[in-house]
Amino acid sequence: MRGMTESLASYLNANQQRHLDELFALLRIPSISTAPEHTADVHRAAAFVAESLKQAGMTTVDVIATDRHPLIYAECLEAPGKPTVLCYGHYDVQPPDPLDLWETPPFEPVIRNGNIYARGAADDKGQMYAHIKAVEALRAVHGRLPLNIKFLIEGEEEVGGASIARYVATHGERLRADVALVSDTALYAEGVPTLCIGLRGLIYLEVEATGPSRDLHSGLYGGAAPNAVFGLAQLLGKAKDAEGRILIPGVYDDVAEPAPAELESWKSLNLDEARYLKEEVGSSRLTGETGRMVLERVWSRPTFEVHGIGGGFTGVGSKTVIPAKAVAKVSFRLVPDQDPDRVIAAFKEWVARETPPGIQTEVRVMNASPAVMVSPDHVAIATAAKAFSEVYGRQTVLIRSGGSVPIVGDLATHLHIPSVMMGFGLPDDALHSPNEKFRLENYYTAIRTVAHFLTLYGG
Amino acid sequence: MRGMTESLASYLNANQQRHLDELFALLRIPSISTAPEHTADVHRAAAFVAESLKQAGMTTVDVIATDRHPLIYAECLEAPGKPTVLCYGHYDVQPPDPLDLWETPPFEPVIRNGNIYARGAADDKGQMYAHIKAVEALRAVHGRLPLNIKFLIEGEEEVGGASIARYVATHGERLRADVALVSDTALYAEGVPTLCIGLRGLIYLEVEATGPSRDLHSGLYGGAAPNAVFGLAQLLGKAKDAEGRILIPGVYDDVAEPAPAELESWKSLNLDEARYLKEEVGSSRLTGETGRMVLERVWSRPTFEVHGIGGGFTGVGSKTVIPAKAVAKVSFRLVPDQDPDRVIAAFKEWVARETPPGIQTEVRVMNASPAVMVSPDHVAIATAAKAFSEVYGRQTVLIRSGGSVPIVGDLATHLHIPSVMMGFGLPDDALHSPNEKFRLENYYTAIRTVAHFLTLYGG
C-alpha cells in the first residue's frame, strides 16, 4: 500500500470492519447541536469520542463542561524533541430537515454504492474519527507515536463554536502546538489530493421586521397598514442585484483579490460548469458576479444569503392577514481582508436606511468570524502535501474553501499556528443537506493519509 | 324600547341570558374550516346551528353534505304575498394562531369590559346567531313571521366558500328570494347605524419558488447558486413601491373611481387618522397610495398583500443553507370594475417576467371573487336603513367595506338579488386576529334591529 509500512498496512486491513462499526455507532447518535431536545445525544456523542481516544492510547482524556456542549481534550506527549500536532474535529451535526427528502433515515447509517449515508458522515464525524483511528494504528503498530499529539474536539461547530473559541483564547499553554490538523474540508475531486489554504469567514444574523401591533384583517386594513412580511421581503430583495452582486454599500471595500498564481491554478482545475450546475446545484442556471469564474465566486468573493424566512400564515389553506411580524436568518461569507465588524456596521446602516416606511427592523448578530489563509511554504503544510501526494500517487492541489471553519481563525489568532486543512470529503457529499454521504474508501484513505503525514512530520 | 312592540321587547329581555348562553355554546366549538384536524368540530357547529333553526320554528331544516363542510338550509314560508328574505351567515372561523397573544383562550368565551371575547364572536357566529334569535323572537311573540324567511348558512366562508358557491349556482329555485340579509360587516363606529353597499373582491394565490434541487451548503455554493428564499423575496418586493402603490402592470386598468357623492359622504365621516393609526393599526405610520384618503385606500382601491412566507431554516439557532424552495401566500383585493381573470393573468405574466435568474416560480390560484355594489334605492336597502335608524335613533350611514363576502357576489350573479349588508361588529373587533371580540350590547341590538327590519319589510 502506498505511503506506509507493511505492518501498518496489515493492521489497517485487519481492522477495517471494526473501524467502520465504530464510526457507524457514532453516526447513530443524533448529536444535533442547535436543537435543545438533543442535548442528551450531544453528551452521548462526546462520551463516545472520549472513550475512543482512550482506546487509541491517549495518556490524558478530558471531557470539559462548557456553557453549552462539552469539549474533549486529549494528549499523548511521549516524543520529546518532536513537533506537536493539534488535531481538531467536531462531533456535532446539522439538523437533518427536511426529513422527507432522505432516502434512508439520517441517523441509521448504511452503505450504498460505496458511500456511507448519514447526517455527519462527512461533516465531520467520519473525518474526525479517521484522525483517532490513524493515531490508534500508529501506536498499536509501533508502540509509540512519531510525534506529540493533542486532540481538541468540539460539539458546537454547527452553532458557532462559542465554547471552543473561549477555550482556545484562554488555554494557550495547554494547547501549544506547532500546527493544527483540521479535516473539515473536501477533496477537490475524487482521487485528487487536496490541501485547503484559505477559508471564508462568516457573519450570521437575524433580521426581525415589525409592522402593525397585531395581525390585521387584510380586507379591512389592506391599502393603509404596513405589512411586516412584505416589508422584510422588500428590504432583503434590495440586498443584491438580479445576478447576485451585493448592493449594500461598503461590503466590497476591503476585499483582497487572489494572487495571480492562485487564480491561474484555479483556472487549471478546469471546473466543468455544466456538470457543476447539473449535478451539484441542480437549478436552471448559476447566478453570481458576472465576469468572475465560479471558483472565484465561491472561494474569494463575499456573499449575502437568506437562509430562512418566516412570518404570517404558512399553514394549509388560506388566511387573509396582514402579518405583524417576520424574521429572516441571513449571513455574509467573508474573504481576506474583510473585517467582520465593518461589514456588520455596513449592514446595520443599510437596514436602517432601506427599511420601508411603517416597518421597524432589528438586527441580531448570532456569530462572526473573519476569513483565514495559511502559507503553503510552512513546513507542516509542505509535509502534508507530500504525504497526501504519496498516498494518492499524484500531485497535491492547493485550493480554498468557501465554507467557514471558525476554529482555524481562532488557532491562528491565539496559538499563532497554521492549520493543515486536509479534507477527505467530496463536493457532492451533501453537507447540511438531505442524504449526506462520505465515500467509504475515503474513510480508509483518510486514516492512511493522516497516519503517513504524522509519520513524515515526526521525521 | 325603540323600534319594537312592548311584547317583543319584553320577550327579548326575558330571554337575554338564554340567548347569550346559546351563543357561548356555539363559540366553544373550534369550527376552524381550514384545519383538517377540526373537521369534526365543524360538523358539531353545523348540527348546533341546525338545532337552533328548528327551535326558532323553521318548518324545514336541512344539513346538506358537500365536498368539504356542511351547508345548512332552512325555511319558513307561511306569509303568502309577502316578500322573502334569505338570511346568510357562516359558522366557521379563522385559525386562532398566534395563540400566545390571546388574553383568554379563543374557544372559551368570556365577557370582559362589556365585550364577548372569542374566535368567531363577531366573525361571524355572533351576528349569524342574532338572525336566528330575531326570527325565534318574532315567531314566539306573534305566532307567525311577518314575511317569508329562508336561511343559508355555510361552514367554508374562511376558506373560500366553494360549496355554497356551487349550491347557489345550482339551486336558484329553492333559494328564490327578494333580498338577502348578510351580517358579516361592521358598524362604522359604535352607535352609528351602518349599511354597507360595496365590498372588495379577493384573489388568493400561492407563489412557490424553486432554486437548487436540494438545500445547499451556503459556504460551498454561496456566490454561484440561486437561493429560492432570496429569489422569492426579491420578486415579491418588486410588487409595490415603498408607499404601497402596486407596480404590477395592468392591475389598475379597470379600477372605477367612487361617485363624487360617495366620496363626499366618506369625507364627512371624518376618520381620525391619528386614532386609526394608534388604536387600530399600531404601526409607526400608515402606508398606501399617497394623495388618497384612508377610506379610499381600504374601500375603493385594489391591494396586493403577502399573508405569509416560509422557506429554508426558521428553527431555533442557525443553519447555513441555500434553500431549494420557498412559498408565499398572497392576495389581491379587487374593486369595481376589476375582472379577477384579468388581474390573475396580469400577475402571472409579471411573475414570469420578474422571476430572478436561476429561480423557477409557480403560481396557484386558490380562489377568486369580484367586488360587488348594491343600490341604496332598492326598497329592501331603504327599509333596512329606516329600521336601523329607528332602533339606533340616528341616521343610517352608507359605507363600503374593504373586506370580501364572496356570497354577496354569488347571490347577485345567480339569484339576481341584492344583499342588505347590515353588520353589528366594530372596526376594532380584531377579526382574524388574537382577542377577537363582539360587543355584548351589539349582540342584543342586532337581534332587535333584524327583528325590526323583518317587521317593517313585511309591511
Side-chain angles (χ1 to χ4, degrees):
Chain A
M1 204 176 290
R2 282 191 298 255
M4 53 189 25
T5 62
E6 282 307 327
S7 51
L8 183 61
S10 60
Y11 176 88
L12 292 177
N13 287 331
N15 290 277
Q16 272 202 344
Q17 188 58 48
R18 177 176 58 84
H19 287 170
L20 184 61
D21 295 342
E22 291 172 1
L23 174 58
F24 270 33
L26 177 58
L27 291 171
R28 287 191 189 96
I29 305 173
S31 47
I32 304 164
S33 49
T34 199
E37 66 273 24
H38 283 285
T39 301
D41 297 314
V42 170
H43 283 256
R44 271 202 298 141
F48 183 99
V49 170
E51 185 53 36
S52 300
L53 287 162
K54 288 194 192 101
Q55 283 165 14
M58 294 293 99
T59 53
T60 300
V61 178
D62 294 345
V63 175
I64 302 159
T66 71
D67 293 349
R68 196 163 179 183
H69 300 312
L71 271 174
I72 301 153
Y73 172 80
E75 66 180 30
C76 180
L77 311 177
E78 299 172 342
K82 299 285 191 178
T84 301
V85 175
L86 174 63
C87 298
Y88 164 84
H90 63 93
Y91 61 83
D92 64 320
V93 299
Q94 282 273 325
D97 47 288
L99 269 173
D100 56 325
L101 297 185
W102 285 78
E103 282 178 40
T104 50
F107 298 106
E108 296 173 23
V110 293
I111 305 281
R112 214 164 48 236
N113 329 316
N115 297 313
I116 303 165
Y117 284 91
R119 168 59 83 228
D123 180 16
D124 175 51
K125 286 174 174 174
Q127 305 205 59
M128 175 268 291
Y129 208 65
H131 290 183
I132 300 176
K133 296 296 106 179
V135 170
E136 170 205 292
L138 288 171
R139 211 154 181 297
V141 171
H142 306 302
R144 46 176 289 286
L145 296 178
L147 39 55
N148 301 296
I149 285 280
K150 297 178 179 181
F151 279 91
L152 187 63
I153 300 173
E154 69 169 318
E156 297 178 16
E157 197 273 344
E158 303 295 1
V159 290
S163 296
I164 198 170
R166 259 193 307 278
Y167 193 82
V168 169
T170 53
H171 293 73
E173 189 47 41
R174 184 181 210 189
L175 299 177
R176 184 140 51 85
D178 298 282
V179 70
L181 176 62
V182 176
S183 298
D184 200 15
T185 51
L187 297 176
Y188 179 73
E190 181 55 24
V192 180
T194 309
L195 282 186
C196 178
I197 61 167
L199 295 168
R200 289 197 288 196
L202 174 68
I203 301 169
Y204 202 98
L205 311 112
E206 276 183 352
V207 184
E208 178 168 305
T210 310
S213 55
R214 56 187 169 95
D215 287 0
L216 298 173
H217 187 300
S218 68
L220 303 185
Y221 295 95
N227 179 319
V229 168
F230 180 78
L232 184 56
Q234 194 167 49
L235 171 68
L236 296 177
K238 286 185 279 188
K240 293 192 283 188
D241 66 19
E243 285 299 329
R245 183 173 171 80
I246 299 168
L247 300 175
I248 300 164
V251 167
Y252 290 111
D253 285 358
D254 305 323
V255 171
E257 295 289 343
E262 208 178 358
L263 268 179
E264 276 317 305
S265 73
W266 298 351
K267 286 205 188 77
S268 73
L269 292 169
N270 296 315
L271 174 76
D272 178 344
E273 287 199 16
R275 189 204 59 77
Y276 179 86
L277 172 62
K278 184 166 178 303
E279 290 169 30
E280 292 191 53
V281 174
S283 62
S284 58
R285 52 160 284 187
L286 297 177
T287 55
E289 294 177 85
T290 48
R292 293 186 182 269
M293 63 178 164
V294 167
L295 292 182
E296 260 185 289
R297 297 181 199 173
V298 298
W299 286 351
S300 62
R301 301 297 297 172
T303 67
F304 175 78
E305 293 292 347
V306 181
H307 303 296
I309 187 165
F313 181 74
T314 56
V316 176
S318 57
K319 187 164 185 239
T320 51
V321 288
I322 297 175
K325 267 196 189 311
V327 179
K329 292 172 188 276
V330 306
S331 80
F332 291 91
R333 294 282 171 176
L334 304 180
V335 301
D337 298 315
Q338 291 180 290
D339 170 0
D341 294 335
R342 282 196 62 185
V343 174
I344 289 168
F347 181 65
K348 286 182 168 176
E349 188 183 313
W350 176 83
V351 167
R353 193 175 59 249
E354 297 292 337
T355 295
I359 302 295
Q360 311 287 322
T361 43
E362 181 192 348
V363 174
R364 294 184 286 264
V365 179
M366 294 174 71
N367 53 69
S369 62
V372 287
M373 294 286 292
V374 295
S375 163
D377 305 328
H378 185 285
V379 56
I381 309 289
T383 306
K386 180 168 188 293
F388 226 149
S389 296
E390 287 175 3
V391 172
Y392 278 75
R394 58 178 285 184
Q395 188 58 42
T396 298
V397 300
L398 303 181
I399 66 166
R400 293 198 202 179
S401 167
S404 306
V405 187
I407 185 66
V408 172
D410 296 332
L411 295 172
T413 305
H414 301 293
L415 306 186
H416 314 294
I417 58 173
S419 292
V420 170
M421 287 180 270
M422 177 185 269
F424 303 90
L426 290 173
D428 67 349
D429 279 344
L431 310 187
H432 298 207
S433 300
N435 304 307
E436 177 179 351
K437 67 175 176 64
F438 187 35
R439 193 151 185 274
L440 176 59
E441 182 52 35
N442 292 7
Y443 174 51
Y444 295 126
T445 312
I447 298 171
R448 287 210 306 279
T449 307
V450 170
H452 189 46
F453 163 60
L454 296 177
T455 304
L456 288 186
Y457 189 42
Chain B
M1 209 179 286
R2 282 192 300 252
M4 54 188 25
T5 62
E6 280 309 324
S7 52
L8 183 62
S10 60
Y11 176 89
L12 292 177
N13 288 332
N15 291 277
Q16 273 201 345
Q17 188 57 49
R18 178 176 58 84
H19 287 170
L20 185 61
D21 295 342
E22 291 173 2
L23 174 58
F24 271 33
L26 177 58
L27 291 170
R28 287 192 190 95
I29 305 173
S31 47
I32 304 164
S33 48
T34 199
E37 66 273 25
H38 283 284
T39 301
D41 297 315
V42 170
H43 282 256
R44 271 202 300 140
F48 183 100
V49 170
E51 185 53 37
S52 300
L53 287 162
K54 290 196 189 99
Q55 284 165 12
M58 295 292 100
T59 53
T60 301
V61 178
D62 294 345
V63 176
I64 302 158
T66 72
D67 293 348
R68 195 162 180 185
H69 301 311
L71 270 174
I72 301 154
Y73 171 80
E75 65 179 30
C76 181
L77 310 177
E78 299 173 341
K82 300 285 192 175
T84 301
V85 174
L86 174 64
C87 299
Y88 163 84
H90 64 92
Y91 61 84
D92 64 320
V93 298
Q94 284 271 323
D97 49 289
L99 270 174
D100 56 324
L101 297 187
W102 285 77
E103 283 178 40
T104 51
F107 297 107
E108 296 173 23
V110 293
I111 305 281
R112 212 163 51 236
N113 330 316
N115 296 313
I116 303 166
Y117 284 90
R119 167 61 82 227
D123 178 16
D124 174 54
K125 287 173 174 175
Q127 305 207 58
M128 175 269 290
Y129 208 66
H131 290 182
I132 300 176
K133 296 294 106 178
V135 169
E136 171 206 290
L138 286 172
R139 210 152 183 299
V141 171
H142 306 304
R144 45 177 290 284
L145 295 178
L147 40 54
N148 300 297
I149 286 280
K150 297 178 179 182
F151 280 91
L152 188 63
I153 300 172
E154 69 169 318
E156 297 178 16
E157 197 273 344
E158 304 294 2
V159 291
S163 296
I164 198 170
R166 261 193 307 279
Y167 193 82
V168 168
T170 53
H171 293 73
E173 189 47 41
R174 186 181 207 190
L175 299 176
R176 184 138 52 84
D178 298 284
V179 69
L181 177 62
V182 176
S183 299
D184 201 16
T185 49
L187 298 175
Y188 178 72
E190 181 55 25
V192 179
T194 309
L195 281 185
C196 176
I197 62 168
L199 295 168
R200 288 197 288 195
L202 175 67
I203 301 169
Y204 201 99
L205 311 112
E206 276 183 351
V207 184
E208 178 168 302
T210 311
S213 56
R214 57 187 167 95
D215 286 359
L216 298 173
H217 188 301
S218 68
L220 303 185
Y221 295 96
N227 178 319
V229 168
F230 180 78
L232 184 57
Q234 193 167 51
L235 170 69
L236 296 176
K238 287 185 279 188
K240 293 193 283 190
D241 66 20
E243 284 301 326
R245 183 173 171 82
I246 299 167
L247 300 174
I248 300 164
V251 168
Y252 289 111
D253 284 0
D254 305 324
V255 171
E257 294 290 343
E262 208 178 359
L263 267 180
E264 278 317 305
S265 72
W266 296 352
K267 286 206 188 76
S268 73
L269 293 170
N270 296 315
L271 175 76
D272 178 344
E273 288 199 14
R275 189 203 59 76
Y276 178 87
L277 171 62
K278 183 166 179 302
E279 290 169 32
E280 292 192 50
V281 174
S283 62
S284 59
R285 52 160 284 186
L286 298 177
T287 55
E289 294 176 85
T290 47
R292 292 186 182 268
M293 63 176 162
V294 167
L295 292 180
E296 260 185 289
R297 298 181 198 173
V298 298
W299 287 352
S300 62
R301 301 297 296 172
T303 67
F304 175 78
E305 292 293 346
V306 181
H307 303 297
I309 187 165
F313 180 75
T314 56
V316 176
S318 57
K319 187 167 186 236
T320 51
V321 288
I322 296 175
K325 267 194 189 314
V327 180
K329 291 172 187 276
V330 306
S331 80
F332 291 91
R333 295 282 171 175
L334 304 180
V335 300
D337 299 315
Q338 291 180 289
D339 171 358
D341 295 336
R342 282 196 62 184
V343 174
I344 289 167
F347 181 65
K348 285 183 169 174
E349 189 182 313
W350 176 83
V351 167
R353 193 175 60 248
E354 298 292 336
T355 296
I359 303 295
Q360 311 286 321
T361 43
E362 182 193 347
V363 174
R364 294 184 287 264
V365 179
M366 293 175 71
N367 53 69
S369 62
V372 287
M373 295 286 292
V374 296
S375 164
D377 305 330
H378 186 283
V379 57
I381 307 290
T383 307
K386 180 168 185 294
F388 226 148
S389 297
E390 289 175 0
V391 171
Y392 278 73
R394 58 178 285 183
Q395 187 59 42
T396 298
V397 300
L398 304 181
I399 67 165
R400 293 197 200 179
S401 167
S404 306
V405 187
I407 186 66
V408 172
D410 295 333
L411 295 171
T413 305
H414 300 291
L415 307 185
H416 314 293
I417 58 173
S419 293
V420 171
M421 286 179 269
M422 178 186 268
F424 302 92
L426 290 174
D428 66 351
D429 278 345
L431 309 186
H432 297 207
S433 301
N435 305 307
E436 176 179 353
K437 68 176 176 65
F438 187 34
R439 193 150 183 275
L440 178 58
E441 183 51 37
N442 291 6
Y443 174 52
Y444 295 126
T445 312
I447 297 171
R448 288 210 307 278
T449 307
V450 169
H452 188 45
F453 162 60
L454 296 176
T455 304
L456 288 185
Y457 189 42

